[in-house]
Amino acid sequence: MQLFYNHTLTKSSSEIKFSREESKHIAKVLRKKEGDILYITNGKGILFTAKITFSNPSQCHAVIDSHETQPRKSYSLHLAVAPTKMNDRYEWFLEKATEIGIDQITPIICDHSERKVVKEERFERILQSAMKQSLQCYLPQLNPAISFSDFIAQKNDDQLLIAHCEETKKQSLKDVVQPKTNATILIGPEGDFSTKEIELALSSGFVPVTLGETRLRTETAAIVVAHSVAFINE
């Protein structure tokens, strides 16, 4: 199954015109012809089945035969992760977290952050590609980068957790995460959260957790969290 993405589709849509890039992929790479079936999602949970009416490398058209709303997971995971010094490491996290299953991602700028600017358009493309590759119909929400203090100040009714490396009392993530519960989890930069940031998070209701005995890179810690939460909710 090959999944395509078009955010403009709604339940009332009757046809779709693919971009030049997608049309080339459909006609030349996949060798799809008139009458062949395509599957498209709008990233909002709807899977559309469409039949090709015109196949050309420069422009493909299809009529939508049916649509089906896919069920959401029993939980929602929001990871607030500091950008990594090497941009490709953060992009790897975005790809793998999407494949595993994540709902929201917020880049947080921390006291020890070495990277303070992110490429939102490129990040968005990576999320879309990973969603299609893993055959999912919900596109993770990528929020604008925000300072740690501003993020903490936002109203949040999720289960709130912070993973940090300071030698203080912490509980294991697997013992804290509540199944079928929305969670927001903070992951710091290469230099970890500052003591001031940890104290601010704890005073705002965040529970400190550990991800194991070894020290993990930022992007590895984020993937461990995404997988652990998914596993607990199986």
Side-chain angles (χ1 to χ4, degrees):
M1 177 178 172
Q2 181 83 30
L3 185 63
F4 293 86
Y5 169 66
N6 187 305
H7 72 279
T8 66
L9 293 181
T10 66
K11 292 181 178 180
S12 61
S13 297
S14 59
E15 62 178 358
I16 178 173
K17 295 181 179 180
F18 293 92
S19 66
R20 187 180 185 89
E21 181 181 357
E22 287 186 316
S23 296
K24 182 178 179 181
H25 184 68
I26 292 169
K28 296 197 69 174
V29 179
L30 300 179
R31 299 183 181 278
K32 296 290 187 180
K33 301 177 181 179
E34 286 83 357
D36 287 345
I37 299 299
L38 297 176
Y39 299 96
I40 311 106
T41 182
N42 61 359
K44 302 178 181 68
I46 303 177
L47 178 65
F48 298 87
T49 302
K51 183 181 295 183
I52 298 176
T53 55
F54 181 74
S55 181
N56 185 282
S58 61
Q59 183 70 77
C60 281
H61 300 176
V63 293
I64 295 175
D65 288 338
S66 63
H67 66 267
E68 181 181 356
T69 300
Q70 304 299 300
R72 276 196 173 276
K73 306 191 306 294
S74 61
Y75 70 97
S76 174
L77 177 60
H78 182 181
L79 286 186
V81 184
T84 52
K85 181 179 180 181
M86 300 298 292
N87 206 46
D88 60 340
R89 292 186 180 278
Y90 204 86
E91 293 174 359
W92 178 84
F93 144 65
L94 293 173
E95 179 184 75
K96 301 311 174 187
T98 301
E99 292 177 16
I100 294 168
I102 192 171
D103 301 277
Q104 281 195 70
I105 298 163
T106 301
I108 49 173
I109 309 304
C110 303
D111 290 341
H112 296 158
S113 291
E114 295 189 55
R115 178 179 292 276
K116 300 181 184 296
V117 177
V118 299
K119 300 178 180 179
E120 290 186 18
E121 289 186 8
R122 179 172 172 79
F123 285 0
E124 190 69 37
R125 290 196 298 272
I126 290 171
L127 295 177
Q128 293 172 13
S129 178
M131 176 191 66
K132 292 187 293 182
Q133 187 277 328
S134 55
L135 302 181
Q136 299 186 66
C137 292
Y138 288 96
L139 180 68
Q141 178 180 323
L142 176 65
N143 299 316
I146 187 174
S147 71
F148 179 90
S149 57
D150 285 346
F151 183 85
I152 293 296
Q154 295 178 341
K155 186 178 185 302
N156 196 326
D157 295 325
D158 293 356
Q159 182 182 21
L160 306 175
L161 307 175
I162 177 172
H164 66 80
C165 299
E166 283 199 356
E167 296 296 329
T168 57
K169 184 177 180 181
K170 292 175 285 187
Q171 300 179 68
S172 174
L173 177 69
K174 65 180 176 63
D175 295 330
V176 178
V177 171
Q178 301 170 11
K180 299 182 179 180
T181 300
N182 298 342
T184 293
I185 304 178
L186 307 179
I187 306 291
E190 283 90 344
D192 199 16
F193 295 112
S194 67
T195 299
K196 179 182 177 181
E197 288 172 333
I198 295 172
E199 291 175 348
L200 177 60
L202 298 186
S203 67
S204 300
F206 282 81
V207 175
V209 295
T210 176
L211 305 180
E213 297 299 324
T214 60
R215 175 168 290 190
L216 306 176
R217 290 181 180 272
T218 295
E219 69 278 9
T220 309
I223 293 302
V224 167
V225 168
H227 180 266
S228 296
V229 173
F231 186 77
I232 290 169
N233 278 277
E234 282 188 348

